[in-house]
Amino acid sequence: MVSDKRLRTANLDWGDDSAAPGAPRSVVFDDIYFSGDGPAETEHVFLHGNDLPARFQSAQLFSIGELGFGAGLNFLSAWDCWRNTNKPPHAKLSFFSVEAFPLTPADLCRAHARWPQFAELSRKLIDVYPPAHPGFHHLHLDDDVSLTLFFGDALAGLSSAEAAIDAWFLDGFSPAKNPEMWRAEVMEEVARLSKPHTTFATFTVAGGVRRRLQSAGFEIEKRPGYGRKREMLVGRLREDRSLTRRKPWYATHHSSPARPGARIAIIGAGIAGASMAHALRQVGMTPIVLEARTPA
C-alpha cells in the first residue's frame, strides 16, 4: 500500500555554476543535476555507453533501469532515441527509475526549458507526472513507451521490484556526496533485476563503485568520459551470475508471451475484464471481449 505521506521534494539552487551555468543544484547533496550540455553528456555516457542506438533496432521488448530520475533528462533522451530508431513492429520500451527527492512539476518545466528538442516529450511527461507520494507510479507515455517511477529510498524501491532489465543508467549524485545510492546492497539489487549480459553505464570511476559492481557480478571497463571527466565505466553482467527472484510470479519474461497483435479472448467485461483488455492493448495485443450483458 502506498502511504498518503508526501516525500520531501528536491531543494534546488538555481544559481550560476561555472561547470553548468543555470543548471539546478541539489542543496541536500551539493551536486548538479546535469552538465552545461546535458543531452550531449547523456548521449555519450548512457545511450552510447549501453550501445542503445544499435540495440533498439532489433528490440521487441526493451527495459531500461535507472538510479536517480532527477530532472528526467536521461529518460527524455532515451525516449527520443527510441522514437527516432527504426524498430520492429509493436516494439515496446519500458523505463524504471528510482528517486528519493522528486522535482516539482514547476522545477521540471524550468529544467526542461533548456532542451527545446525535447519540448513535445517534456509536455507529455509533465502532463502525467505524479505527486510526490512514496511508492510506485506507472505512467503510460505513448503506445510503445511506459515509465515506472519509484519515489523513495533506492534500495527500498529496487528490493520491492521484479524486472528483467536490459540496460542500466547508474546516475545518482557523486558517490562522495551520495554514498547511500552506491552501496553494495544497491548494486546487488541492480544485478538481481538484470538479465544475463545486461549492460550498465555510469559517469563515475570511483574505486568503491568498481569493486561493488564487480562483486555483484558485473564485468567492467573504463572508457573515455565526457567533457572534463576523463573516464567513465561501462560493463555487463556475467552469464554465470546466479540470480534469485523472491517473487518469481511477478518476474518479467525475457520474451513476449504471445506475438504482437495476437488476438486474446477475455470472457466477461466487468472491471477485471476491462482492465485486462486495456493492459493487453498497451503491450500490443488485440483483446476480444465476450460479455452477455452490459459491459462495465
Side-chain angles (χ1 to χ4, degrees):
M1 179 179 293
V2 175
S3 168
D4 289 334
K5 184 179 179 182
R6 285 179 176 265
L7 292 171
R8 290 172 56 193
T9 53
N11 184 2
L12 304 181
D13 176 7
W14 293 88
D16 288 337
D17 184 291
S18 59
R25 172 178 289 273
S26 168
V27 173
V28 173
F29 296 104
D30 187 28
D31 204 356
I32 56 174
Y33 279 83
F34 48 83
S35 69
D37 190 354
E41 182 170 22
T42 288
E43 181 179 5
H44 178 87
V45 175
F46 297 111
L47 302 190
H48 289 293
N50 283 291
D51 197 25
L52 296 190
R55 294 170 72 187
F56 281 172
Q57 293 177 24
S58 59
Q60 190 65 63
L61 297 171
F62 200 93
S63 296
I64 296 173
E66 179 185 51
L67 301 185
F69 187 73
L73 172 59
N74 296 338
F75 171 65
L76 294 176
S77 298
W79 186 4
D80 183 66
C81 180
W82 178 262
R83 278 185 133 199
N84 290 294
T85 299
N86 185 20
K87 306 173 294 294
H90 309 292
K92 304 289 181 183
L93 175 66
S94 173
F95 198 101
F96 167 50
S97 185
V98 295
E99 177 57 55
F101 297 92
L103 271 68
T104 65
D107 283 335
L108 283 180
C109 287
R110 184 171 177 179
H112 293 185
R114 300 169 59 91
W115 314 312
Q117 67 271 40
F118 299 146
E120 178 191 353
L121 305 185
S122 171
R123 284 193 297 271
K124 287 188 173 187
L125 172 61
I126 292 170
D127 281 348
V128 297
Y129 188 72
H133 288 296
F136 290 94
H137 305 268
H138 186 70
L139 311 178
H140 183 62
L141 278 305
D142 261 343
D143 288 342
D144 61 345
V145 177
S146 65
L147 168 64
T148 299
L149 287 173
F150 179 85
F151 287 164
D153 176 73
L155 183 58
L158 296 171
S159 62
S160 299
E162 291 294 341
I165 301 295
D166 294 286
W168 284 95
F169 298 171
L170 306 183
D171 196 26
F173 289 120
S174 165
K177 298 182 178 183
N178 185 20
E180 289 292 298
M181 179 71 86
W182 303 93
R183 61 196 192 272
E185 296 89 341
V186 171
M187 297 305 133
E188 285 291 335
E189 289 298 324
V190 165
R192 183 182 66 83
L193 295 170
S194 301
K195 296 178 181 178
H197 303 301
T198 287
T199 63
F200 80 86
T202 182
F203 65 90
T204 183
V205 293
V209 172
R210 296 200 311 270
R211 289 188 292 273
R212 290 166 205 142
L213 284 166
Q214 289 172 324
S215 178
F218 287 94
E219 298 172 341
I220 64 174
E221 66 173 285
K222 290 182 180 180
R223 288 188 185 173
Y226 180 84
R228 299 180 182 182
K229 298 172 182 175
R230 292 190 307 158
E231 295 176 313
M232 55 178 273
L233 292 182
V234 300
R236 65 179 58 244
L237 192 66
R238 296 194 308 266
E239 185 176 11
D240 62 354
R241 165 71 184 190
S242 176
L243 301 177
T244 300
R245 299 194 182 278
R246 290 189 293 273
K247 304 178 183 67
W249 48 91
Y250 289 139
T252 303
H253 293 287
H254 292 187
S255 59
S256 175
R259 71 184 186 280
R263 291 156 61 89
I264 309 294
I266 301 171
I267 300 175
I271 293 174
S275 299
M276 187 177 296
H278 175 69
L280 287 169
R281 278 209 174 274
Q282 287 191 328
V283 296
M285 307 301 174
T286 303
I288 308 297
V289 184
L290 308 176
E291 173 57 57
R293 298 185 176 85
T294 305

